[in-house]
Each structure stands twice: as C-alpha cells, then as structure tokens.
Amino acid sequence: MFNLILFGPPGSGKGTQSEKLITQYGLKHLSTGDLLRSEIAGKTPLGIEAKAIMDKGHLVPDEVVIGMISSALEANPHAKGFLFDGFPRTSTQAEALDKLLDLKKTSIAAMIALAVSEEELVKRLLKRGETSGRSDDINEGIVRERLVEYHKKTSVVADYYKQFDKVVVIAGEGTVDEIFARLCKEIDGILNNK
Ligand code: ADP
C-alpha cells in the first residue's frame, strides 16, 4: 500500500490537489472535512453536533474523526493506498492513525505539506465562500479562527512526522497545474526510492 498525507492550512489547496492526485496515483481519497459535510447534509446526530463546532471555526473532537477514519479504512480493504486530506489535524489523531495503519501492516510513506502565505489563505477562503455554500468560509472572523486553530493544534502534526523524516514541503502558490506538477515530481521520487 502507498499512503500519503496532504497537509497544510485551510485554503492551501488540499481538496483541489487531492482530486487530481487520486486519479494520477489510484489512491482512495479520505477527507475528514468531506466526511463531516456529508454527515451534515444527511442531518445525522453526528452531523448536527459537528456543524455547530465547524461553524465556530473549531476542530471537532478527536474521537469523532478517528472513528470516521477507522470506519473508512475498514470499508476499503482493497484500496491500493489512501490519500489523507484534513487528517490528522492533532497529535492525538496522528498517533491514532499510525496505530490503525499498523494493524493493516502498512504506514504513511510521506506527509506533503503545502506552504501558502496567510494573506493568500484568507483571500482564497473568502473567495471560495462566495460560491461554495460552505458556512465556515463566509465570514472573515470564522476563517481567521480556523487559522488560529491550525497554528495552535495542527501545525505541530508536521513535527510528529519530521521525527521520522517523512515531511516534504511544496510551494502552494502558483497555478493549480504548476502546484500539481511539483507534487507529482516529489511523489514520483518517493515511489522510485521505495
Ligand atoms: P479546511 O481545510 O478548508 O479548513 P476541511 O474541509 O478540511 O476544510 O475542514 C472543515 C472543518 O471540519 C474544520 O474547520 C473542522 O471544524 C472540521 N474538521 C475537518 N477535519 C478535522 C479533523 N481531522 N479534526 C477535527 N476537525 C476536523
């Protein structure tokens, strides 16, 4: 199996690049943001609870997202590999993911981190809010709160993978195709060194 984490702050382009990467490398896309939004759309108890938290720009509890990822791994026993997007977002989630992958006798090959300036992130998120219908993208206060959460709880997740020498940083500004080409170059390098 070949498993990757696409990492970066909100608005760094993880969702956009994930769509292209899963086609290129035949991976199964696991986005906790998408999984949560489908719970919201289905008006499930989990979705209703998660929406209130997401609309404040905060992270939903670790046990909720870890449970969702665990079920998704179980539901895809024949996947060639997984592309994790928006997960893990805390150190607790990172440790839980390692344990889950260990049980499947696999691991994370690399964490690819998209680097984008704060100013560009806010601009992109508010622009996305004009058309996406995502209630957490509409207001600058919520967008900034998500970035605060990222710096407080999520950016440390890169340190967790750095200790295993698994982090690659990619410049996340430029056209979608330019960034995709940079990602493919790194991933091909990783695949060739396996
Ligand atoms: P973005 O990267 O633009 O913030 P996501 O779709 O990844 O968008 O996440 C949207 C929201 O969903 C987050 O602000 C958070 O509330 C919740 N969320 C998504 N993934 C996680 C996670 N792994 N842990 C906790 N909360 C999460």
Side-chain angles (χ1 to χ4, degrees):
M1 273 184 123
F2 182 64
N3 306 302
L4 292 173
I5 296 170
L6 191 58
F7 190 70
S12 56
K14 300 185 296 290
T16 305
Q17 295 296 334
S18 289
E19 292 302 331
K20 297 172 74 76
L21 290 170
I22 54 167
T23 311
Q24 177 82 6
Y25 296 101
L27 302 174
K28 171 78 189 163
H29 186 198
L30 290 186
S31 156
T32 39
D34 288 351
L35 292 169
L36 288 165
R37 281 185 288 276
S38 91
E39 297 281 339
I40 293 174
K43 299 197 167 63
T44 67
L46 191 158
I48 291 163
E49 195 192 325
K51 185 174 182 344
I53 299 170
M54 290 161 76
D55 282 351
K56 287 196 195 116
H58 294 160
L59 295 184
V60 308
D62 285 334
E63 57 274 20
V64 172
V65 285
I66 293 166
M68 288 191 327
I69 289 289
S70 173
S71 311
L73 292 176
E74 290 300 311
N76 292 279
H78 304 300
K80 248 176 74 180
F82 294 96
L83 177 67
F84 296 95
D85 159 9
F87 181 90
R89 242 175 166 101
T90 64
S91 306
T92 304
Q93 293 177 22
E95 284 162 23
L97 178 61
D98 268 1
K99 290 205 184 97
L100 288 170
L101 293 177
D102 225 37
L103 288 173
K104 293 179 84 71
K105 306 260 179 294
T106 184
S107 61
I108 292 295
M111 163 184 271
I112 305 186
L114 290 168
V116 177
S117 74
E118 196 96 353
E119 194 191 349
E120 172 75 12
L121 294 172
V122 174
K123 212 168 74 188
R124 285 186 191 176
L125 289 166
L126 292 175
K127 180 141 183 50
R128 183 169 77 186
E130 290 170 11
T131 52
S132 69
R134 274 183 58 168
S135 48
D136 58 346
D137 282 343
I138 291 168
N139 148 316
E140 182 158 351
I142 300 171
V143 163
R144 297 230 175 247
E145 188 57 29
R146 282 156 62 200
L147 292 170
V148 168
E149 283 278 86
Y150 174 81
H151 291 297
K152 218 163 41 182
K153 299 178 183 161
T154 306
S155 57
V156 294
V157 176
D159 300 329
Y160 176 82
Y161 291 97
K162 266 184 207 150
Q163 54 172 329
F164 308 112
D165 216 15
K166 285 187 177 173
V167 181
V168 184
V169 180
I170 301 272
E173 296 188 37
T175 67
V176 168
D177 288 338
E178 278 162 3
I179 299 161
F180 181 62
R182 287 177 207 141
L183 288 167
C184 290
K185 197 167 156 223
E186 281 301 331
I187 296 169
D188 292 341
I190 296 163
L191 282 167
N192 289 330
N193 282 322
K194 275 223 300 178

